[in-house]
Amino acid sequence: SPRAMQRGFAHLCVGEDDIGRSTATVDGYLVFDNDLLICAGAVATTMRDAIDQFSARLRRRLIRLHHHDLLQRSRVQRITEGVSL
């Protein structure tokens, strides 16, 4: 079964660096099954770019998690198929 997302958080911030250039920062996390935390963050010159980078990083982590879960289910299935009752 898919993991249950319990909560999520995103923090967006705009500021200037030491030489006066605009910076946008996005960071956040998702909590699954009350014990799995997936985090991501990004810094860019515009908020749009920071959000795009943040969402791409978070998406890659979620895809890796999905592939890991599929592999685990496949291993469990092979183990249980090999057991005779």
Side-chain angles (χ1 to χ4, degrees):
S1 71
R3 293 176 183 263
M5 188 179 96
Q6 304 307 126
R7 63 189 161 276
F9 171 81
H11 177 251
L12 291 77
C13 183
V14 177
E16 290 183 355
D17 64 12
D18 294 340
I19 58 174
R21 293 180 299 194
S22 176
T23 60
T25 305
V26 180
D27 60 84
Y29 62 83
L30 301 173
V31 179
F32 293 91
D33 298 335
N34 284 325
D35 66 351
L36 177 66
L37 182 69
I38 305 291
C39 302
V43 177
T45 56
T46 68
M47 185 56 72
R48 181 179 301 249
D49 287 344
I51 291 170
D52 287 347
Q53 291 175 26
F54 169 75
S55 64
R57 290 174 183 160
L58 194 57
R59 187 176 304 113
R60 282 193 301 270
R61 288 176 175 99
L62 291 171
I63 289 169
R64 280 196 303 259
L65 175 63
H66 176 69
H67 288 175
H68 176 267
D69 287 350
L70 289 176
L71 182 61
Q72 289 299 102
R73 273 189 242 136
S74 175
R75 286 180 182 158
V76 168
Q77 186 177 16
R78 284 195 307 263
I79 290 169
T80 57
E81 287 174 352
V83 174
S84 301
L85 299 177

